Amino acid sequence: MNRWLSFVLFFNVFILNYAQQKDSLGIENRPLSFNLKKTIVPVALMTSGIIFDANGRKSLKNEVVEERNEHLFGFTNHLDDYAQFAPFFALYGFELGGMKPRTDWKNRTAILMKAQFVNLGLVYVLKTTLKRTRPDGTAFSFPSGHTANAFAGATMLAIEYGENHKWVPYVSYAFASGIGVMRMANNKHYISDVLFGAGLGILSGKAAYWTHQYRWNRQKSESDPFAGIIY
């Protein structure tokens, strides 16, 4: 919990400093239209996570854990605890580096907050409702919150910068996948947890864009609103 609070405080300071340095009024703020085909991958990942969550000894999730214990027994690090937040800083850092985003910083921040509200809210509800045991014996395994967080950020990066910089989606999703692999290497999650978390993160990020109304930073109309009505 302290790690999450520290991130929120640091992120708020980062955003305030960013806002003072960058004026994004020239950005087009083009809405992202809903596309049913764009739900196929995240829904497939979530479905796979549910299917592979079987508890049999020969189930895929337990076989992956056995392989991990055979080759990486005793392996542990905390890099994934912090790296999961990297895509969110890149959302603003890339623009500071000269890359043009799809959305100005105010709308981008509103979208980010909506995506995280849905993403982390669902992760919390599922964890506390299902109460799945982790591979290391601790509680709240399904789904992987770290993976969901990383993929939500990767999705936003892909949407914001992918059109003008084709390499961004590949790098961002590869990075997020690395977070999921690290969670399994650390014996904190099964592959089913990671697959479902990845799909949930992607879908949360896309849904936040599909439903956003872009009410921040709207350009003021140059036409006279009373012309032809009053005079």
Side-chain angles (χ1 to χ4, degrees):
M1 181 61 70
N2 289 334
R3 182 172 70 247
W4 287 98
L5 290 175
S6 298
F7 167 74
V8 171
L9 291 173
F10 183 77
F11 193 74
N12 285 338
V13 172
F14 177 83
I15 291 298
L16 289 173
N17 182 62
Y18 171 87
Q20 293 174 356
Q21 297 180 44
K22 195 76 176 177
D23 180 3
S24 301
L25 290 177
I27 296 174
E28 297 176 10
N29 283 334
R30 290 176 292 111
L32 185 68
S33 300
F34 173 75
N35 186 338
L36 185 60
K37 292 182 179 180
K38 298 296 184 180
T39 66
I40 294 176
V41 170
V43 169
L45 287 170
M46 294 168 72
T47 302
S48 298
I50 294 173
I51 293 173
F52 294 142
D53 195 41
N55 289 316
R57 190 172 182 276
K58 292 299 182 179
S59 63
L60 176 63
K61 75 174 192 179
N62 286 322
E63 289 186 354
V64 172
V65 171
E66 288 181 7
E67 288 293 321
R68 179 265 173 198
N69 291 338
E70 181 179 347
H71 300 288
L72 294 173
F73 185 77
F75 174 84
T76 182
N77 69 58
H78 297 286
L79 178 62
D80 48 353
D81 289 335
Y82 306 99
Q84 62 173 312
F85 301 117
F88 300 120
F89 288 100
L91 271 175
Y92 303 92
F94 281 0
E95 186 181 5
L96 287 173
M99 296 168 60
K100 185 178 180 180
R102 181 189 187 96
T103 311
D104 67 70
W105 74 269
K106 287 185 179 180
N107 282 286
R108 203 180 320 154
T109 302
I111 292 170
L112 171 58
M113 293 175 65
K114 289 197 300 182
Q116 288 299 82
F117 177 80
V118 173
N119 185 39
L120 300 181
L122 288 175
V123 166
Y124 176 80
V125 169
L126 289 170
K127 281 181 178 289
T128 55
T129 300
L130 299 176
K131 298 180 180 178
R132 292 283 197 273
T133 303
R134 297 175 188 264
D136 64 359
T138 57
F140 307 122
S141 180
F142 188 92
S144 170
H146 285 62
T147 306
N149 207 30
F151 271 89
T155 299
M156 290 194 65
L157 275 176
I159 293 173
E160 286 292 338
Y161 299 98
E163 186 174 353
N164 295 320
H165 306 277
K166 302 300 183 182
W167 57 269
V168 172
Y170 297 101
V171 172
S172 58
Y173 283 122
F175 181 87
S177 298
I179 298 296
V181 171
M182 188 71 70
R183 295 307 286 166
M184 291 188 289
N186 278 322
N187 209 31
K188 290 296 184 181
H189 283 290
Y190 295 102
I191 189 171
S192 53
D193 307 337
V194 169
L195 288 172
F196 190 93
L200 179 59
I202 294 172
L203 196 58
S204 298
K206 290 182 181 295
Y209 277 94
W210 288 334
T211 59
H212 190 61
Q213 299 299 310
Y214 291 88
R215 292 175 178 173
W216 295 91
N217 273 14
R218 281 186 175 177
Q219 297 287 346
K220 293 183 178 180
S221 175
E222 295 181 357
S223 62
D224 188 339
F226 299 107
I229 299 176
I230 298 178
Y231 51 81

